[in-house]
């Protein structure tokens, strides 16, 4: 494992720990307003990162936002991976009409920009985490499908798999002993890239007020709310920007290079 991957995993571990501990560790309710402490600097009145335009503690809101962002992204990527890998192996194994139909469906999804698909679904049913989850999963499964289908076609033609078939071993054995060991590391790396895409998409949708709505403590919503006050309190809008950048950077470092996935 490269030093950059170790650094990325360390960043993800720290983020996950902070998300699990949650806003309770700050001593403030992320939804509680204090109009006597609006946009106070970090360290004032016990607010580690200061407060926003409504006097809400920024540290508490960042940690609450980390819970929402990481949980929703992980749920969407996990679902996309299960669907994509399963359909990819199915397409490679059966071939013929099934393979052609699945490839056609995946190409159709790729023809529509991923963020636009999520945006359309979020606009139809606003303020719904379920809609965001479904839109992200429908966007991300294609890459898992393409990777697993391509690699599975090669592995299924290998002498080891041919010998297993001649011995009459069940398909589950072939998948667990031959396909998954080869696919697992690439799938994990692709999942990290997918999670980075999901985190960015959630923040983008929150910033343009599509998807989750205020007062939900989501990073994109926080940036949108604090943008008019950036001259008075640059530290306030800088907090969610830094959290988003750190999360995406950690995920991309943990994923490794694109060439490692394609190898």
């Amino acid at each position: 494992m490269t030093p950059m991957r170790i650094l990325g995993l360390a960043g993800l571990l720290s983020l996950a720990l902070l998300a699990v501990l949650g806003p309770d560790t700050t001593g403030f309710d992320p939804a509680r307003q204090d109009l006597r402490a609006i946009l106070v600097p970090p360290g004032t009145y016990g607010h580690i990162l200061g407060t926003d335009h409504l006097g809400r503690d920024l540290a508490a809101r960042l940690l609450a936002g980390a819970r929402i962002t990481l949980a929703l992204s992980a749920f969407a990527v996990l679902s996309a991976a299960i669907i994509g890998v399963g359909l990819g192996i199915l397409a490679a194994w059966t071939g013929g009409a099934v393979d052609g139909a699945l490839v056609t469906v995946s190409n159709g999804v790729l023809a529509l920009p991923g963020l636009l698909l999520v945006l359309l679904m979020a606009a139809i049913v606003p303020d719904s985490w379920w809609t965001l989850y479904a839109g992200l999963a429908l966007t991300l499964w294609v890459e898992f499908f393409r990777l697993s289908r391509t690699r599975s076609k090669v592995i299924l033609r290998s002498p080891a798999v041919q010998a297993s078939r001649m011995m009459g071993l069940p398909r589950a054995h072939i998948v667990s002993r031959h396909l998954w060991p080869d696919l697992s590391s690439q799938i994990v790396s692709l999942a990290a890239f997918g999670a980075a895409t999901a985190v960015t998409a959630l923040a983008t949708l929150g910033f343009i007020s599509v998807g989750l709505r205020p007062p939900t403590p989501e990073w994109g919503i926080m940036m949108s709310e604090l943008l008019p006050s950036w001259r008075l309190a640059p530290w306030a809008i800088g907090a969610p920007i830094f959290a988003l950048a750190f999360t995406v950077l950690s995920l991309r470092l943990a994923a490794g290079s694109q060439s490692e996935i394609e190898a």
Side-chain angles (χ1 to χ4, degrees):
M1 185 177 293
T2 64
M4 289 295 99
R5 276 196 164 183
I6 295 175
L7 184 62
L9 290 173
L12 289 178
L13 181 61
S14 63
L15 283 169
L17 181 61
L18 289 172
V20 170
L21 292 176
D24 295 337
T25 58
T26 66
F28 292 95
D29 183 346
R32 181 177 178 272
Q33 301 180 15
D34 185 358
L35 300 183
R36 296 170 300 177
I38 292 176
L39 296 176
V40 299
T44 306
Y45 305 136
H47 299 285
I48 299 175
L49 297 179
T51 61
D52 66 4
H53 62 299
L54 294 176
R56 297 172 297 192
D57 184 73
L58 280 174
R61 290 183 66 77
L62 278 181
L63 293 179
R67 278 185 174 181
I68 295 172
T69 298
L70 295 181
L72 191 54
S73 299
F75 192 24
V77 170
L78 178 61
S79 300
I82 293 173
I83 295 171
V85 173
L87 292 178
I89 294 176
L90 175 65
W93 201 299
T94 56
V98 174
D99 184 25
L102 290 174
V103 170
T104 301
V105 172
S106 66
N107 289 337
V109 174
L110 284 177
L112 185 65
L115 186 58
L116 179 59
L117 177 61
V118 182
L119 178 62
L120 289 173
M121 296 187 66
I124 293 172
V125 186
D127 199 18
S128 170
W129 72 267
W130 171 257
T131 304
L132 292 176
Y133 152 73
L136 290 171
L138 287 174
T139 301
L140 296 172
W141 74 271
V142 177
E143 293 300 327
F144 292 98
F145 168 77
R146 296 175 66 190
L147 173 64
S148 58
R149 173 180 174 272
T150 302
R151 289 298 303 163
S152 296
K153 280 183 174 291
V154 175
I155 300 168
L156 290 173
R157 290 196 296 265
S158 66
V161 173
Q162 295 298 327
S164 297
R165 284 179 166 178
M166 292 178 63
M167 294 172 61
L169 296 176
R171 294 183 177 183
H173 174 86
I174 295 175
V175 171
S176 62
R177 292 295 300 272
H178 299 286
L179 291 178
W180 180 245
D182 186 276
L183 291 171
S184 58
S185 61
Q186 299 175 64
I187 294 300
V188 170
S189 294
L190 187 58
F193 275 113
T197 300
V199 169
T200 306
L202 287 173
T204 302
L205 294 173
F207 186 78
I208 61 177
S209 301
V210 177
L212 299 178
R213 299 290 179 84
T216 304
E218 191 274 326
W219 294 340
I221 295 174
M222 292 175 64
M223 285 186 275
S224 178
E225 291 179 332
L226 292 167
L227 184 59
S229 307
W230 74 271
R231 291 184 183 273
L232 294 175
W235 63 84
I237 192 172
I241 291 175
F242 175 80
L244 176 63
F246 183 80
T247 303
V248 173
L249 178 60
S250 298
L251 286 166
R252 292 196 172 275
L253 289 177
S257 64
Q258 188 68 32
S259 59
E260 293 177 8
I261 297 179
E262 296 171 352

